[in-house]
């Protein structure tokens, strides 16, 4: 049985208490051939966590990795910039899940950790793959996927 993970950066929020911005990843796990329903959850990540993931992936990947969006020093809290960053992070996640390196065990393990695949505490929302997300300011959510071999099944 293979598990296919689909993910999209579907939104962002700025914490009023500390002013930090968090990007929301919507993740869906499809269990092909198991007869089990799909699982869906959200994970919030800071922009710096995407960069830290990329650094870890570069250490274990032997194949090409897409480029992570660049850091910005000024204007990083403006709404238009955050919407643009959300879209670029979504493109990065999609490209990352499609690239050949994502099939390598070391890379796949890092991706599973980042997406919260094995941590039930991150599974904030369970649902089916057929549920539609409410569109955010950037438009409707769509997913890209990562299929891992049986040894990585949840």
């Amino acid at each position: 049985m293979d598990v296919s993970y689909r993910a999209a950066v579907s939104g962002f929020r700025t914490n009023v208490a500390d002013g930090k911005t968090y990007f929301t990843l919507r993740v869906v796990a499809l269990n092909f051939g198991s007869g089990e329903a799909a699982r869906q959850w959200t994970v919030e990540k800071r922009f710096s966590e995407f960069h830290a993931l990329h650094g870890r992936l570069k250490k274990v990947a032997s194949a090409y990795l897409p480029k992570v969006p660049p850091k910005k020093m000024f204007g990083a809290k403006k709404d238009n910039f955050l919407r643009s960053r959300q879209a670029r992070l979504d493109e990065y996640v999609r490209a990352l899940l499609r690239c050949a390196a994502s099939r390598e065990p070391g890379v796949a393990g890092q991706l599973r950790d980042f997406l919260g695949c094995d941590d039930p505490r991150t599974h904030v929302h369970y649902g089916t793959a057929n549920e539609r997300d409410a569109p955010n300011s950037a438009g409707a959510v769509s997913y890209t996927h990562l299929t891992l071999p049986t040894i990585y099944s949840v």
Side-chain angles (χ1 to χ4, degrees), residues 6-133:
R6 298 173 186 231
V9 180
S10 61
F12 62 88
R13 72 174 180 83
T14 301
N15 186 332
V16 178
D18 61 13
K20 295 181 179 178
T21 301
Y22 296 84
F23 293 89
T24 304
L25 284 141
R26 306 279 294 170
V27 184
V28 176
L30 304 169
N31 299 306
F32 294 112
S34 71
E36 296 177 24
R39 293 181 300 130
Q40 177 177 299
W41 63 92
T42 59
V43 180
E44 289 188 329
K45 299 288 183 180
R46 302 253 340 205
F47 182 72
S48 60
E49 291 177 279
F50 284 89
H51 268 270
L53 169 69
H54 192 75
R56 291 190 307 272
L57 293 178
K58 286 190 332 187
K59 291 178 183 176
V60 296
S62 62
Y64 163 82
L65 288 172
K67 292 183 179 181
V68 67
K71 296 178 181 180
K72 181 175 180 175
M73 297 297 285
F74 302 103
K77 297 293 181 187
K78 293 182 179 176
D79 200 49
N80 286 342
F81 174 78
L82 290 172
R83 277 200 280 300
S84 173
R85 178 173 272 180
Q86 173 195 332
R88 294 183 78 189
L89 287 173
D90 187 54
E91 290 170 12
Y92 171 70
V93 168
R94 291 168 186 276
L96 194 55
L97 293 178
R98 284 191 308 260
C99 76
S102 69
R103 293 352 175 235
E104 297 175 17
V107 173
Q110 290 288 337
L111 289 172
R112 287 172 57 89
D113 287 345
F114 186 76
L115 296 174
C117 297
D118 297 323
D119 186 353
R121 294 172 298 166
T122 63
H123 298 195
V124 176
H125 170 74
Y126 288 91
T128 66
N130 294 328
E131 287 183 352
R132 300 309 299 162
D133 294 324

